Amino acid sequence: MAELNKLRAISYLAPNLFHFYNAVVAYVGRILGVETQLHQGECDPLQDPLLIKNQLDLAFICGLPLIQYCQVVPNQLQVLVAPVMKATRYQNQPIYFSDVIVNAASGLTKFEDLALKSFCYNDLGSNSGYNLVCDRLIQSEHSKNFFSQAIQSGSHQRSIEWVVNRRVDCAAIDSVVLEQEIRHFPELSHQLRVVQVLGPSPIPPLVVAQHLGASLIEQLQLALLQPDAELQAVMEEVGVQRFAVVELEEYKVLAENFSSRTREFL
């Protein structure tokens, strides 16, 4: 620990919760007595040179790219904790959902209504935005051309905006991200309708680089299981009840549902 001068962290998750991730990293810095630096990832984690070169200490990352990365680069990252959301739907477990949304002014009320409609997704590596939708179509034996078109938006927030503006008919959004957007913009609750809930899936975790060492990693994990009042206040604000210990093994189900068939389905 004496050699750790700065804790380098990154978030590959939606930026509307960046202040929460920043509070988590700041808390860890207070516990360790070190400077911290968190920045928003600007590329696919599977292609990020900072991650590939093992130059990061902590990362907030979706479970699907995490598993894919660990299959290629084993023994670099370790799952530290994952948030447990307060809302009843999360059943006091570290899970989340994919909410399939449409414009509330549309006549679309169920998933089957989306046939031959336009769909947008944040990126091809997204479990909630893309993978779960493809899996739903495959499991229901829908044809590959179920949607009239599928467009990449680049982010969950842009997908929400496109549905509101009726640029596309529907999108699948990480439930935690959607709930946070509605906190910021309450009018969205009247502008959007959820027509299908997919999941649950294991929620995106906080991972740690194993180069920090077992003793320091254990200290970080124990600290996050007992957050101080400052971090608890931010957790309350964004609807996080607590952090839970999770294992990498729990995220392998995401890779099992992801295949070349799924990736190319839309």
Side-chain angles (χ1 to χ4, degrees):
M1 189 174 104
E3 298 177 358
L4 183 66
N5 298 315
K6 177 184 287 189
L7 200 69
R8 301 155 299 178
I10 191 169
S11 171
Y12 296 109
L13 304 180
N16 70 351
L17 282 164
F18 186 84
H19 71 292
F20 166 60
Y21 306 136
N22 196 49
V24 172
V25 173
Y27 168 64
V28 166
R30 293 196 297 275
I31 291 295
L32 299 182
V34 299
E35 184 182 349
T36 60
Q37 180 184 55
L38 173 69
H39 70 274
Q40 182 71 41
E42 298 179 353
C43 65
D44 186 325
L46 301 179
Q47 301 174 351
D48 190 343
L50 288 175
L51 186 61
I52 294 169
K53 294 177 182 179
N54 201 15
Q55 295 177 349
L56 295 167
D57 302 310
L58 294 171
F60 299 88
I61 185 172
C62 286
L64 181 55
L66 169 64
I67 286 296
Q68 293 172 319
Y69 184 83
C70 289
Q71 288 173 340
V72 178
V73 187
N75 305 317
Q76 178 185 333
L77 301 175
Q78 178 178 329
V79 177
L80 193 63
V81 294
V84 175
M85 307 307 294
K86 291 180 66 174
T88 304
R89 71 188 300 198
Y90 299 106
Q91 306 162 46
N92 195 30
Q93 297 294 321
I95 58 174
Y96 78 118
F97 299 88
S98 174
D99 290 337
V100 181
I101 60 170
V102 300
N103 192 296
S106 73
L108 307 171
T109 60
K110 57 185 183 298
F111 191 86
E112 287 68 24
D113 293 339
L114 306 182
L116 300 181
K117 302 300 182 183
S118 56
F119 169 77
C120 72
Y121 57 92
N122 52 332
D123 63 73
L124 288 172
S126 172
N127 182 60
S128 58
Y130 186 89
N131 186 48
L132 287 176
V133 175
C134 292
D135 187 62
R136 167 69 166 77
L137 293 173
I138 291 169
Q139 295 301 323
S140 302
E141 299 183 348
H142 287 297
S143 73
K144 188 172 182 178
N145 299 317
F146 179 80
F147 296 116
S148 62
Q149 60 177 334
I151 311 168
Q152 183 168 332
S153 68
S155 72
H156 277 308
Q157 288 164 286
R158 187 172 296 130
S159 292
I160 294 169
E161 178 184 335
W162 284 5
V163 173
V164 169
N165 295 337
R166 309 194 80 160
R167 177 172 175 176
V168 296
D169 296 306
C170 60
I173 309 296
D174 177 319
S175 60
V176 175
V177 174
L178 180 59
E179 289 162 5
Q180 182 64 14
E181 278 298 282
I182 291 173
R183 285 191 192 94
H184 287 163
F185 308 102
E187 64 273 16
L188 288 175
S189 63
H190 304 292
Q191 296 172 329
L192 299 172
R193 177 188 302 121
V194 175
V195 297
Q196 178 79 55
V197 176
L198 305 174
S201 298
I203 198 167
L206 171 59
V207 302
V208 61
Q210 294 193 31
H211 63 235
L212 291 183
S215 177
L216 186 54
I217 290 172
E218 182 180 6
Q219 183 181 357
L220 290 177
Q221 188 176 68
L222 290 173
L224 287 166
L225 296 177
Q226 303 175 61
D228 66 6
E230 188 172 344
L231 178 55
Q232 284 182 24
V234 183
M235 291 167 63
E236 177 72 22
E237 176 191 336
V238 299
V240 173
Q241 178 171 310
R242 62 185 176 91
F243 290 102
V245 175
V246 287
E247 303 292 340
L248 185 64
E249 190 76 20
E250 298 173 46
Y251 292 86
K252 289 185 178 179
V253 64
L254 303 180
E256 292 169 2
N257 292 337
F258 185 83
S259 65
S260 58
R261 181 185 177 201
T262 304
R263 174 178 281 275
E264 298 171 358
F265 193 78
L266 297 182

